[in-house]
Amino acid sequence: MSENCWLVKSEPDTFSIQDLALRPNQTEGWDGVRNYQARNFLRDGMKKGDPVLFYHSRIKKPAIVGLCSVVREGYPDASAWHRDSAHPDPKSTPENPIWYQVDLCLKIIFQSPVLLENLRKDPQMQEMILLKKGNRLSVMPVSTAHYRLIMEMAEIPINSELA
DNA sequence: GCCAACGTTGGC
DNA sequence: GCCAACGTTGGC
């Protein structure tokens, strides 16, 4: 089992971590991503068991609000060729899929979410992709060091959810 | 293959 | 709600 850590963004008005908690098995297919760099992480990078931080964007206080893990590795995103998809892409077909997704299962909703503003204040966090100016990636890797610091900030005992 | 125009993201 | 930054598209 690999040890890579990730972060996914979601607008809570569209899909929040509370929505994830209500899904069967608290698991959801992470579909609809239409960016090649993010697609590559979904298709090639994310492995079963990898921890995935869940981030709420486009709200007053953007924050990392919880932790999930990858329960199914990259497979074609069928929403691309479904009629009423929110993100249709006629170039992607079952024979030649362009877009990929993983399945994510909820592990923890943080009692104390890690606010973006607090990450910005922390000198140890400045290299996070999330904090880079103009960053729009919705799926990105997180270093193990940053992951541990974030879990610390969220007051999650470090041994409880690693591995 | 350049680059202007466009649509989208996401912090503020 | 605004707008800067970004990725994609398409004319040339």
Side-chain angles (χ1 to χ4, degrees):
Chain A
M1 205 168 274
S2 83
E3 279 293 323
N4 293 314
C5 309
W6 308 91
L7 181 145
V8 296
K9 292 179 188 168
S10 188
E11 296 181 27
D13 289 346
T14 305
F15 189 81
S16 69
I17 199 164
Q18 288 77 20
D19 294 327
L20 179 59
L22 295 174
R23 286 291 195 261
N25 300 319
Q26 302 194 325
T27 296
E28 177 77 347
W30 208 254
D31 62 7
V33 174
R34 300 289 180 266
N35 168 284
Y36 286 101
Q37 205 180 347
R39 187 279 310 268
N40 293 345
F41 291 135
L42 291 168
R43 188 188 58 188
D44 310 324
M46 297 171 86
K47 298 299 171 193
K48 203 169 179 179
D50 283 354
V52 182
L53 297 163
F54 196 112
Y55 178 85
H56 279 170
S57 67
R58 238 170 188 274
I59 48 173
K60 295 268 168 53
K61 298 264 183 188
I64 299 170
V65 293
L67 179 70
C68 332
S69 73
V70 177
V71 291
R72 184 176 172 190
E73 295 179 8
Y75 63 103
D77 176 355
S79 76
W81 54 79
H82 283 165
R83 287 210 147 264
D84 50 357
S85 164
H87 303 279
D89 183 355
K91 294 194 296 299
S92 187
T93 65
E95 294 73 31
N96 287 297
I98 297 173
W99 306 112
Y100 283 73
Q101 66 180 88
V102 298
D103 288 352
L104 297 180
C105 176
L106 179 64
K107 295 193 99 169
I108 311 174
I109 295 179
F110 293 161
Q111 294 306 307
S112 17
V114 179
L115 299 179
L116 177 64
E117 62 191 43
N118 289 335
L119 290 172
R120 288 204 188 285
K121 281 182 209 155
D122 189 329
Q124 294 180 277
M125 293 298 183
Q126 297 312 301
E127 292 308 309
M128 280 192 80
I129 297 171
L130 183 69
L131 303 192
K132 299 291 182 188
K133 185 177 181 181
N135 163 63
R136 289 170 48 176
L137 257 189
S138 65
V139 179
M140 68 191 79
V142 175
S143 76
T144 303
H146 286 146
Y147 172 73
R148 292 200 174 151
L149 287 164
I150 289 161
M151 295 300 273
E152 223 169 273
M153 292 168 84
E155 297 168 20
I156 305 295
I158 197 66
N159 288 325
S160 69
E161 289 298 333
L162 271 180

